[in-house]
Amino acid sequence: MFALWQLDGNGCLQAAVGRRVRVGRLRRLHHGVYAYGHRRLTPSGHRLAAVLACGPGAVLSHRSAAALWELLATARTRIDVTVPGTSRRTRTGVHLHRTRELQPGDVAVIHGVPVTTVSRTLCDLAGAVSRARFQRAVEQAERSGILDLSALQRAVDRHPTRRGTASVRAVLDDYTPARLTRSELERRFRELLQAAGLPMPLTNHVVAGYEVDAYWPQWRLVVELDGRAYHSDPRAFERDPVRDARLMRAGCRVLRVTAKRLARSPKAVLADIRALAALAEGL
């Protein structure tokens, strides 16, 4: 597949293209874009054709880039392409986006198709789809191991006023662990309980063979203080459900409180503790 603009204005080659189109050796896909006799193109082939049709510097972007990165399924027939500058050109079947901000670090190549990087794709996507769909794309990027929070932060910092920036910043905030040491987290938890007038739990107490962070024996209630900052080892996330299940089998209720939730929603944490205590007292 190629575009006429890639021939550098060579008149002889362009004339040869015309002859091959007439005899069926080349197939016209878009104005100035041809394939070597292919009757059926893959989705990536259609995407590449759309990018080539939009000229030098064009890249697949937005929903179409998210589909290529396998972050989001889309039923759209129009293909999203971003071009540098203020070009007024239009192409059938192409949703053209114009930007003055596309940088070399914003572009990758996947299956031969020039495409915005994952971080730039997510920034573009945030302004084009609902927050729920954007969140699903972020979660898929994380599952696929291609979510780079540092790159996403740099991308949003370069374009702080673009549509969707609030959604991107919310994601960054969610994925950034609260910067609290273990002792600070425990201290803030105790201070919250004292201010609320709740009885103080046993701390670092052994229950059902496990040392737990906080335990109220009168309520058979365990509170574990944790978060991303304390579980960088993926194996911890595998162990925690087993630990919680064994504590529950021993007759305990288990409440996990992250540093972020403690900082942002202390009233909700207190409400959970009070509700669980009430359940225990009602038995």
Side-chain angles (χ1 to χ4, degrees):
M1 186 185 302
F2 67 94
L4 288 180
W5 59 262
Q6 294 176 307
L7 302 181
D8 295 325
N10 188 314
C12 292
L13 288 176
Q14 292 183 9
V17 167
R19 290 194 297 272
R20 283 168 171 75
V21 170
R22 287 192 293 274
V23 300
R25 294 182 62 186
L26 289 177
R27 177 188 170 200
R28 181 178 178 276
L29 303 175
H30 288 276
H31 178 73
V33 179
Y34 302 90
Y36 294 97
H38 295 290
R39 291 299 168 192
R40 297 185 64 181
L41 292 180
T42 64
S44 291
H46 284 291
R47 292 164 181 150
L48 177 58
V51 170
L52 290 176
C54 295
V59 295
L60 197 73
S61 64
H62 294 75
R63 296 174 184 85
S64 299
L68 184 60
W69 284 108
E70 298 183 350
L71 303 181
L72 201 65
T74 178
R76 282 165 56 90
T77 55
R78 287 208 301 168
I79 296 174
D80 291 294
V81 176
T82 290
V83 296
T86 58
S87 170
R88 294 293 179 184
R89 76 174 73 196
T90 60
R91 291 288 182 264
T92 301
V94 176
H95 184 177
L96 204 60
H97 305 266
R98 299 168 182 85
T99 182
R100 297 180 184 274
E101 305 166 333
L102 201 61
Q103 300 180 7
D106 290 328
V107 180
V109 177
I110 301 294
H111 305 314
V113 183
V115 59
T116 48
T117 58
V118 171
S119 56
R120 176 61 189 248
T121 296
L122 289 172
C123 284
D124 289 338
L125 197 62
V129 301
S130 68
R131 183 166 289 200
R133 291 198 78 201
F134 171 66
Q135 183 66 44
R136 287 199 294 273
V138 171
E139 290 167 358
Q140 181 58 45
E142 182 182 28
R143 284 193 294 270
S144 301
I146 57 176
L147 179 63
D148 185 335
L149 294 176
S150 297
L152 189 59
Q153 182 70 66
R154 291 192 298 271
V156 78
D157 286 345
R158 286 200 303 270
H159 320 294
T161 60
R162 296 182 65 219
R163 183 179 179 186
T165 295
S167 294
V168 180
R169 291 199 185 282
V171 162
L172 287 167
D173 202 30
D174 268 346
Y175 278 79
T176 302
R179 297 182 180 278
L180 293 177
T181 65
R182 187 74 180 189
S183 60
E184 287 173 329
L185 180 57
E186 291 172 348
R187 175 179 56 79
R188 291 193 184 188
F189 183 63
R190 289 195 302 270
E191 289 173 353
L192 178 67
L193 297 175
Q194 287 171 344
L198 285 171
M200 298 303 293
L202 301 174
T203 57
N204 301 319
H205 188 74
V206 176
V207 180
Y210 294 104
E211 184 178 289
V212 300
D213 295 324
Y215 177 59
W216 285 269
Q218 68 272 37
W219 300 329
R220 301 289 291 172
L221 174 60
V222 170
V223 170
E224 294 281 47
L225 303 171
D226 57 22
R228 289 177 182 269
Y230 309 115
H231 290 288
S232 57
D233 180 359
R235 291 173 297 181
F237 286 107
E238 296 294 331
R239 290 194 298 268
D240 285 347
V242 174
R243 174 188 176 101
D244 292 352
R246 289 180 179 170
L247 287 167
M248 287 188 284
R249 284 170 58 189
C252 297
R253 289 186 171 89
V254 180
L255 175 65
R256 290 192 170 272
V257 178
T258 65
K260 186 165 291 184
R261 186 163 187 253
L262 186 65
R264 290 185 180 176
S265 307
K267 291 182 179 179
V269 172
L270 290 172
D272 286 345
I273 292 172
R274 288 188 174 113
L276 292 170
L279 284 173
E281 290 174 349
L283 293 177

